[in-house]
Amino acid sequence: MAKVAFIGVGNMGAPMARNLVKAGHEVHVFDIVATNMQSVQGAHMAEQAQFAVAGAPFVISMLPESRHVQSLYLGEKGLLAHIAPTALVIDCSTISAQASREVAHAAADRGIAMMDAPVSGGTNGAAAGTLTFMVGAQEEHLARARPLLEQMGKNIFHAGAPGAGQAAKLANNMLLGIMMAGTCEALALGVANGLDPKVLSDIMKQSSGGNWVLERYNPWPGVAQGVPAANHYAGGFGVDLMLKDLGLATEAAMASKSVTTLGEVARNLFALHSRLGHGKLDFSSILKTIQNHTD
Ligand code: NAD
């Protein structure tokens, strides 16, 4: 079992770190919000990130956006200066492929191996240890990381070279944003026409409109248990994080002249929803804006 430094223990990082503790690793956590660290029982809480990474052969980060990852690792006060050259850094945050490659190059300049390994599966997948990892890395780095990733996830895909994991993740999340908005529209349409949302969900799950949102993340309060909609849209995957991912997809589309018409519509919907004051709620709360609910 290895010493693992885990930086960023929010909605996703905390359950991922808990699974590493459960597997018997010596986990050292750091988060700028000290109370978040307390939710990883059995882990050592570090007062600074540099204390967590000292002597650790594995460093994992799970932060919100590109700028957080860049400021954590880069610059004179950056963490790369404190990480052993023999260590492997695994960044699981969803950030731009460009920012991911920038940090990986800076790490390589110091002889440190780094890979991007963004995840899919939500907070329930993180808790259950069933995440999907989309890895951008050299083969041998992935081979070193695999035993650790297998304790947090069940599907591990090698998307390609550093940055490729992020490219895969952005494509997936653009589709997820479209699918969540579309599923909310379909449910709201049915309910406005007299249907019960649970009955309609059951029908669509077994029909051609069936999808991951209906199966695992029903946005209508009262239809499914254990999802953010059952808890006033608390926790889960924040609206502002989805908006960030849709923005990254737009940037990637502009760089490659790709057509992402529906992705753009979804980005605008989530931007409106965030401006209406719902940025910190789970992204399935987009139902409120689609229904024009102001509460
Ligand atoms: P979150 O906001 O709940 O957690 C992020 C954590 O990072 C917070 O605890 C925050 O305090 C901490 N943090 C920020 N800057 C830091 C720093 N410099 N040093 C240490 N800690 C720092 O976000 P989340 O929902 O856990 O998402 C994390 C990443 O995973 C995001 O990129 C998100 O897009 C992605 N993601 C989220 C989900 C989901 O369902 N929530 C699913 C897949 C991927």
Side-chain angles (χ1 to χ4, degrees):
M1 293 299 144
K3 173 173 178 181
V4 182
F6 206 117
I7 316 293
V9 282
N11 287 334
M12 292 295 286
M16 290 166 73
R18 276 199 290 272
N19 281 331
L20 294 178
V21 171
K22 230 186 278 171
H25 294 292
E26 181 190 328
V27 181
H28 293 248
V29 294
F30 174 74
D31 195 295
I32 48 172
V33 178
T35 48
N36 286 355
M37 293 193 271
Q38 289 162 5
S39 66
V40 191
Q41 279 159 6
H44 304 261
M45 294 188 276
E47 274 178 24
Q48 293 180 30
Q50 66 193 69
F51 299 154
V53 303
F58 296 102
V59 176
I60 301 178
S61 47
M62 192 48 161
L63 304 179
E65 300 184 25
S66 300
R67 62 191 165 94
H68 301 109
V69 176
Q70 288 163 317
S71 76
L72 176 71
Y73 289 110
L74 303 178
E76 260 178 42
K77 292 188 179 156
L79 209 53
L80 288 178
H82 301 277
I83 295 174
T86 48
L88 174 63
V89 179
I90 307 169
D91 181 43
C92 296
S93 327
T94 303
I95 63 173
S96 77
Q98 196 187 1
S100 190
R101 281 193 287 263
E102 180 192 0
V103 182
H105 286 151
D109 286 346
R110 291 176 173 272
I112 300 169
M114 179 157 188
M115 55 191 258
D116 46 303
V119 304
S120 179
T123 46
N124 285 345
T130 57
L131 292 171
T132 293
F133 283 92
M134 307 169 204
V135 176
Q138 293 175 23
E139 287 277 3
E140 68 263 31
H141 296 162
L142 173 54
R144 270 165 69 192
R146 195 174 279 278
L148 215 52
L149 301 184
E150 282 171 348
Q151 277 146 359
M152 299 181 282
K154 74 169 186 206
N155 296 304
I156 297 153
F157 290 104
H158 189 196
Q166 299 296 353
K169 173 68 181 167
L170 293 185
N172 178 78
N173 271 28
M174 186 185 78
L175 182 57
L176 175 62
I178 294 167
M179 211 158 58
M180 178 58 82
T183 302
C184 287
E185 284 190 0
L187 287 171
L189 173 70
V191 170
N193 283 277
L195 295 174
D196 178 307
K198 174 144 187 12
V199 172
L200 177 57
S201 296
D202 288 343
I203 292 171
M204 292 197 294
K205 267 198 273 185
Q206 300 305 326
S207 305
S208 43
N211 65 60
W212 185 88
V213 168
L214 284 169
E215 289 288 343
R216 312 252 191 100
Y217 218 103
N218 199 296
W220 203 282
V223 171
Q225 305 284 318
V227 293
N231 188 26
H232 307 286
Y233 300 109
F237 180 39
V239 167
D240 284 343
L241 288 179
M242 173 51 90
L243 186 53
K244 174 239 341 174
D245 290 358
L246 290 165
L248 292 174
T250 297
E251 283 172 21
M254 286 170 68
S256 54
K257 292 191 180 169
S258 299
V259 177
T260 53
T261 316
L262 297 181
E264 272 299 288
V265 172
R267 188 182 67 76
N268 276 283
L269 258 180
F270 280 99
L272 173 65
H273 190 51
S274 178
R275 290 189 75 91
L276 289 172
H278 305 306
K280 299 291 169 235
L281 295 183
D282 177 73
F283 81 122
S284 60
S285 65
I286 190 73
L287 179 68
K288 284 172 178 274
T289 291
I290 285 169
Q291 287 190 297
N292 200 20
H293 281 181
T294 48
D295 58 334

